[in-house]
Amino acid sequence: MTAKAKPTAKPKSKAKPESHLAMVRRARRINRELAELYPYAHPELDFRNPFELLVATVLSAQTTDLRVNQTTPALFAAYPTPEDMAAAVPEEMEEIIRPTGFFRAKTKSLLGLSAALRDNFGGEVPGRLEDLVTLPGVGRKTANVVLGNAFGVPGITVDTHFGRLVRRWKWTEQEDPEKVEAEIAAIFPKSEWTMLSHRVVFHGRRICHARKPACGACPIAPLCPSYGEGETDPEKARKLLKYEMGGRPGQRLSPPPEYPGEPAPAVDAG
């Protein structure tokens, strides 16, 4: 996949500070551009139901979605329901999820949330944020992932990619995830929240990397106040592109039908 237009560097000038209204207009234009760039944006965790998405999201802390996707098939084969997982032998679960890191703490969370689902919610994942955050290991970020993608309830997911990019784009200066969520929510209509989250995360993983963003291959470079933090040479920048943008597999073993890239390998070859 190639960028639709060559980005152009913004001339250095001593322009007056951007007004809030101008920032909102620029932010919404970036969202529209991202929607064209990633019409197939989606959650990059494999799941078939709300319980699987909840568990996968808890496992995704401090690891890649790919690593989680390579781990969850065995986990859900062993424990397909909250009742099954709540009755698991901790040491056996730890061995299954060990590749995701922090496996003891994650096992404790999974056992706790599964028991809570069994005992307090009839074995079903609740569809309200105030209920989800009562589950062990579940905070607002995880709750918004589940609500937005399993229940169709709009939510902004502030993960490390999202927070990094919205600060890079000067949409907010906040560092606290809840404050970031509140400020970004005020910029966009509620109907956009879930897909905005996916688009921003997709862009952060594929083009606007943390250490070396591919500025020279970025279609929204003309709208970016941080243009030039990364590689601006188009040829060098294209070599930095990841996943389908760089012609390589994505993170899902079972991507949605409209995804233009290749499925990830079931066994980690790295």
Side-chain angles (χ1 to χ4, degrees):
M1 184 177 296
T2 57
K4 60 183 179 180
K6 286 187 176 181
T8 57
K10 305 180 93 172
K12 299 287 184 181
S13 64
K14 293 184 178 180
K16 62 182 181 180
E18 184 178 44
S19 70
H20 180 73
L21 177 59
M23 181 276 290
V24 170
R25 288 174 172 167
R26 180 172 57 82
R28 292 182 175 183
R29 185 176 172 190
I30 287 175
N31 182 42
R32 293 193 296 271
E33 295 281 337
L34 293 179
E36 291 187 21
L37 186 60
Y38 308 112
Y40 49 83
H42 58 271
E44 294 190 88
L45 291 168
D46 286 326
F47 69 98
R48 297 169 295 185
N49 54 57
F51 176 62
E52 290 191 357
L53 178 58
L54 176 62
V55 169
T57 306
V58 170
L59 289 176
S60 69
Q62 305 297 315
T63 191
T64 63
D65 286 357
L66 173 58
R67 180 74 69 178
V68 174
N69 292 336
Q70 292 170 330
T71 303
T72 49
L75 181 67
F76 295 134
Y79 316 112
T81 69
E83 292 83 358
D84 294 322
M85 189 168 287
V89 176
E91 292 77 13
E92 294 177 1
M93 184 186 290
E94 287 175 1
E95 282 305 306
I96 296 175
I97 69 171
R98 181 184 290 268
T100 69
F102 302 95
F103 57 90
R104 291 191 179 90
K106 290 178 180 179
T107 293
K108 184 177 179 180
S109 292
L110 294 184
L111 291 172
L113 73 83
S114 297
L117 292 176
R118 178 196 63 197
D119 298 340
N120 302 332
F121 299 101
E124 299 291 333
V125 176
R128 300 194 313 162
L129 186 143
E130 54 264 43
D131 292 329
L132 284 166
V133 296
T134 67
L135 301 172
V138 178
R140 285 185 68 91
K141 184 190 83 169
T142 296
N144 279 330
V145 169
V146 174
L147 290 173
N149 298 290
F151 293 100
V153 177
I156 292 175
T157 302
V158 184
D159 70 354
T160 55
H161 297 286
F162 189 94
R164 173 168 57 80
L165 265 64
V166 297
R167 285 187 290 273
R168 188 172 273 173
W169 292 333
K170 312 301 183 188
W171 295 359
T172 181
E173 295 181 354
Q174 299 292 342
E175 295 284 343
D176 177 79
E178 288 195 31
K179 293 179 180 179
V180 172
E181 180 185 341
E183 290 202 358
I184 303 306
I187 297 174
F188 297 93
K190 196 171 183 178
S191 59
E192 285 290 304
W193 289 355
T194 299
M195 287 309 302
L196 171 73
S197 300
H198 291 323
R199 293 166 191 151
V200 173
V201 171
F202 256 57
H203 195 64
R205 286 175 170 167
R206 286 150 177 78
I207 296 178
C208 195
H209 312 131
R211 295 181 181 173
K212 199 168 186 181
C215 294
C218 180
I220 64 167
L223 298 170
C224 181
S226 299
Y227 176 86
E229 284 188 9
E231 179 58 66
T232 57
D233 179 82
E235 288 301 320
K236 292 179 180 178
R238 273 193 284 273
K239 294 178 181 179
L240 299 173
L241 301 181
K242 294 183 179 179
Y243 304 115
E244 75 280 358
M245 305 296 284
R248 292 183 289 277
Q251 298 202 75
R252 292 189 67 163
L253 277 63
S254 301
E258 66 272 18
Y259 177 63
E262 293 297 317
V267 178
D268 188 2

